[in-house]
Amino acid sequence: MNTAGESVVTVGDHDRRWVEYVERHPDATHYHQLSWAKLIRTEFGQTPHYLMALQGEQVEGVLPLIRLNSRLFGHYMVSMPYLNYGGTLASSAAARTRLQQAAKALGRELGVSHIEFREQAPDEAGMPVRTDKVSMLLELPASIDDLGKAIGSKRRSQVRRPLRENPEIKVGGAELVPLFYEVFARNMRDLGTPVYARSFYERMATTFPDDVKIVAITVGGKPAAAAFLIGYREQLEIPWASTVRDFNRISINMLLYWEVLRFAIDAGYRWFDFGRSTVDAGTYRFKRQWCAEPKQLYWHYWLRDGGEPPKMNPDNPKYARAIRIWQKLPIPVANFLGPRIIRNLP
């Protein structure tokens, strides 16, 4: 039962109250910003349900939800799909509970199978939780020279190896999306993973021009490595990075991350987020060698019919055959089909 004056409302694309609340909340992430609702609806055709808790006229919390619905992968909601973070942002435990109760009621009304809340802290509501993922965070040193000392001589040698090939290093914004995407799409095909549409990255770069940066490397005029970066407050995140396999023999990935970290330090960021990993997986060990430390992630679930949280990711063995087939597709075919499939996966 709600106390007098308490309510949870659904907001549209241009509610200043949401924007101001996220701006002042200390735990907000880039993905709590209201602009993501329109971006995801436009690029993926999915339906946003953005919930805001009020006490009278005062905002006490927000919860961005995206509803995904397909015959192949089911009908469910995520906060936030396609991205590392999301979940409930609230000023009190009571407001958090109200938002989650409203989300569950909406889920029942819409007939979704489950809701996934991508949180950075454990929840006291007793929902099932996945804890197999961590973020890898590095508190940035004062200079790139200090970073070089921290990673040791072996890593520094790996960083220097590609320099013998006279690489060209580019740092920019939207103008580098085509170069980034050429590397990224090829690598995703090689991994057997459907790729997002290029327009998704173009729209992020134009929607958040002050936050999005791209670092790209060419060798002999050929695309070799690229990273897509998103900055927010004191933290720079690398949600997407790829290298062309032909250049892995010269440790091009080490030079890419070195240049990305150089940019982060020079730009004045305090923290660098290497993105999420499974503990002890190859990506986890790669990030650890840069002195990154794990931070536990908590993905909580409301399951309409009970049971176990779903595992809709490439690590699931049931996707192994599909991955092998995808790896054999011509890149233009993979780039055409990929966005039509991946839009339904969180």
Side-chain angles (χ1 to χ4, degrees):
M1 178 181 292
N2 286 349
T3 305
E6 290 183 350
S7 62
V8 175
V9 300
T10 302
V11 306
D13 291 349
H14 305 288
D15 196 308
R16 188 63 196 169
R17 296 172 299 173
W18 181 295
V19 174
E20 292 173 349
Y21 182 80
V22 170
E23 285 178 349
R24 66 175 181 267
H25 199 290
D27 298 327
T29 71
H30 197 282
Y31 311 118
H32 286 99
Q33 295 185 88
L34 194 55
S35 299
W36 282 99
K38 181 179 179 180
L39 193 157
I40 288 177
R41 182 174 58 246
T42 302
E43 282 300 311
F44 296 93
Q46 309 295 10
T47 305
H49 296 274
Y50 274 41
L51 306 180
M52 183 164 63
L54 299 172
Q55 176 67 54
E57 294 299 317
Q58 182 174 339
V59 181
E60 290 202 323
V62 297
L63 173 55
L65 283 168
I66 304 294
R67 177 159 57 107
L68 298 89
N69 192 4
S70 78
R71 293 181 180 178
L72 187 59
F73 298 106
H75 184 199
Y76 55 100
M77 293 195 290
V78 185
S79 179
M80 289 282 286
Y82 319 122
L83 308 164
N84 287 335
Y85 304 112
T88 314
L89 201 64
S91 301
S92 67
R96 176 180 296 274
T97 298
R98 286 163 50 208
L99 283 166
Q100 292 176 350
Q101 289 176 340
K104 295 170 187 177
L106 178 62
R108 294 188 190 95
E109 177 185 337
L110 296 173
V112 303
S113 62
H114 68 272
I115 304 174
E116 180 178 276
F117 304 90
R118 297 186 173 181
E119 310 278 5
Q120 297 187 67
D123 190 270
E124 298 179 359
M127 288 187 286
V129 60
R130 281 181 56 190
T131 56
D132 54 314
K133 299 293 184 181
V134 296
S135 286
M136 299 298 290
L137 300 179
L138 170 66
E139 185 171 9
L140 292 166
S143 70
I144 193 68
D145 290 338
D146 290 338
L147 177 64
K149 294 174 184 176
I151 64 174
S153 60
K154 179 180 178 180
R155 307 305 175 206
R156 293 196 302 272
S157 176
Q158 291 173 318
V159 169
R160 289 194 298 268
R161 170 62 186 89
L163 298 178
R164 303 176 200 165
E165 312 295 328
N166 298 314
E168 183 180 1
I169 299 158
K170 302 177 182 181
V171 180
E175 76 281 3
L176 290 180
V177 168
L179 181 53
F180 161 79
Y181 194 76
E182 183 175 351
V183 175
F184 180 69
R186 180 173 177 178
N187 188 52
M188 289 299 101
R189 191 286 309 269
D190 291 345
L191 293 173
T193 303
V195 69
Y196 296 124
R198 191 173 102 171
S199 59
F200 176 47
Y201 298 97
E202 292 170 338
R203 193 172 297 274
M204 278 190 285
T206 55
T207 302
F208 308 107
D210 295 332
D211 303 335
V212 168
K213 293 295 178 186
I214 293 172
V215 177
I217 302 175
T218 60
V219 177
K222 297 180 179 180
F228 193 99
L229 310 172
I230 298 179
Y232 188 66
R233 297 178 178 171
E234 294 184 308
Q235 186 162 296
L236 185 67
E237 180 186 359
I238 184 168
W240 299 280
S242 287
T243 62
V244 175
R245 288 190 176 185
D246 294 347
F247 294 97
N248 287 349
R249 59 183 174 77
I250 62 169
S251 301
I252 197 70
N253 60 334
M254 296 298 290
L255 180 61
L256 175 66
Y257 274 82
W258 177 262
E259 293 300 329
V260 164
L261 289 164
R262 182 201 300 276
F263 168 79
I265 293 168
D266 291 347
Y269 288 101
R270 182 184 173 193
W271 294 92
F272 186 78
D273 185 343
F274 284 83
R276 71 176 186 256
S277 294
T278 302
V279 175
D280 289 332
T283 57
Y284 176 90
R285 294 191 296 271
F286 175 81
K287 296 165 187 178
R288 284 285 286 167
Q289 72 182 349
W290 291 98
C291 304
E293 295 291 339
K295 179 183 178 183
Q296 184 66 60
L297 297 177
Y298 301 87
W299 289 12
H300 296 93
Y301 291 85
W302 172 75
L303 303 159
R304 185 188 62 196
D305 300 323
E308 294 294 321
K311 291 187 177 181
M312 302 175 66
N313 58 64
D315 298 331
N316 192 325
K318 75 177 184 178
Y319 298 128
R321 184 170 182 270
I323 289 171
R324 289 194 298 271
I325 293 172
W326 199 268
Q327 289 171 324
K328 298 178 182 178
L329 292 178
I331 291 175
V333 175
N335 288 355
F336 175 78
L337 295 176
R340 290 156 174 78
I341 296 173
I342 201 68
R343 66 181 293 272
N344 296 304
L345 289 171

